[in-house]
């Protein structure tokens, strides 16, 4: 039955080799050992690749969560600014400055785990936020000087457009992160398929 099988030609060729049966068995054992070592190395490489990609995926999810926190903090700032302008209230202005500290804590966390491209986007958002706070400081001075109309004009001409720009930048950054997460997931799936094919081949 063996000669008629797919392994028949290989078996006949090995049988014609003029060495002892013991040497042939030893060579076969060494070949199997090498195959097992190669399988182990391949498996470890696949596990390492999946672990690295999973870590990148977790970091991307954390950045998306942080971006969502920025959106939430931005909404709170907008509400505080509306209250300050409507009530001419210094306390609302102070809450904006306190909320700004949360912005910077979030920015710091984002930069720690971000790549070069994401870091540039985060720094761009931070620069706009600095402009927002400079405008808020000017609005606060106008409110204290009882110049509510001028404060409102400044908010509408400078503050509100800057808030909108931050919201746009955050949305763009979230979409970029989502696209990156999609690519990472595709990489994980490719690694799994490659591992299955290699294991089946061995």
């Amino acid at each position: 039955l063996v000669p008629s099988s797919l392994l028949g030609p290989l078996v006949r060729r090995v049988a014609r080799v003029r060495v002892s049966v013991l040497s042939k068995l030893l060579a076969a054992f060494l070949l199997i050992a090498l195959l097992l070592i190669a399988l182990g190395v391949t498996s470890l490489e696949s596990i390492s690749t999946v672990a690295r990609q999973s870590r990148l995926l977790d970091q991307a999810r954390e950045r998306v969560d942080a971006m969502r926190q920025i959106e939430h903090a931005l909404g709170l700032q907008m509400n505080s600014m509306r209250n300050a302008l409507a009530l001419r209230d210094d306390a609302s202005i102070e809450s904006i400055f306190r909320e700004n500290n949360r912005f910077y804590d979030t920015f710091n966390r984002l930069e720690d785990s971000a790549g070069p491209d994401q870091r540039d986007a985060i720094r761009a958002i931070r620069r706009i936020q600095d402009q927002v706070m400079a405008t808020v400081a000017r609005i606060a001075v106008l409110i204290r000087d009882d110049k509510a109309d001028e404060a409102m004009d400044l908010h509408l001409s400078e503050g509100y457009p800057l808030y909108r720009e931050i919201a746009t930048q955050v949305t763009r950054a979230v979409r970029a992160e989502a696209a990156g997460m999609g690519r990472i997931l595709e990489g994980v799936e490719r690694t799994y398929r490659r591992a299955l094919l290699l294991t089946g081949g061995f």
Side-chain angles (χ1 to χ4, degrees):
L1 293 176
V2 173
S4 62
S5 69
L6 294 175
L7 295 177
L10 177 61
V11 172
R12 288 194 297 271
R13 182 171 296 181
V14 171
R16 285 197 296 268
V17 177
R18 295 183 177 182
V19 295
S20 66
V21 174
L22 182 60
S23 298
K24 293 178 182 178
L25 290 174
L26 180 59
F29 174 78
L30 290 175
L31 177 61
I32 292 172
L34 289 174
L35 285 174
L36 289 174
I37 292 172
L39 177 59
V41 170
T42 302
S43 299
L44 287 175
E45 180 187 0
S46 298
I47 292 171
S48 176
T49 300
V50 170
R52 184 174 62 254
Q53 291 171 330
S54 298
R55 187 168 59 254
L56 292 174
L57 189 61
D58 289 338
Q59 291 174 348
R61 284 173 177 156
E62 289 174 1
R63 286 194 295 273
V64 169
D65 289 341
M67 289 290 183
R68 297 300 185 194
Q69 291 175 18
I70 288 177
E71 285 184 324
H72 178 67
L74 185 65
L76 292 177
Q77 280 194 356
M78 290 288 289
N79 288 334
S80 297
M81 179 56 67
R82 282 194 292 267
N83 291 336
L85 290 169
L87 303 175
R88 303 179 186 181
D89 182 19
D90 284 346
S92 298
I93 294 291
E94 290 300 325
S95 70
I96 293 175
F97 287 107
R98 287 195 299 272
E99 194 64 31
N100 189 56
N101 294 331
R102 290 182 57 189
F103 263 99
Y104 283 110
D105 290 341
T106 304
F107 285 138
N108 291 333
R109 291 204 314 273
L110 283 170
E111 285 196 54
D112 289 340
S113 65
D117 293 339
Q118 295 101 340
R119 198 171 289 123
D120 290 340
I122 293 164
R123 287 172 180 168
I125 296 172
R126 174 175 276 182
R127 284 193 297 270
I128 300 170
Q129 178 63 14
D130 289 339
Q131 296 175 36
V132 168
M133 297 316 297
T135 302
V136 169
R138 291 163 57 198
I139 290 173
V141 171
L142 291 172
I143 290 176
R144 292 188 188 108
D145 292 342
D146 201 22
K147 298 178 179 178
D149 292 338
E150 293 182 30
M152 179 61 76
D153 290 340
L154 182 58
H155 171 64
L156 294 176
S157 63
E158 291 187 22
Y160 184 70
L162 288 172
Y163 279 122
R164 291 292 301 272
E165 188 173 354
I166 290 177
T168 300
Q169 293 281 353
V170 168
T171 300
R172 189 176 298 137
V174 168
R175 288 176 180 171
E177 289 289 354
M181 289 167 63
R183 289 192 294 270
I184 292 172
L185 286 172
E186 289 175 0
V188 171
E189 292 176 0
R190 284 196 301 270
T191 301
Y192 275 127
R193 286 196 298 268
R194 176 172 171 269
L196 288 174
L197 289 173
L198 287 173
T199 302
F202 280 116

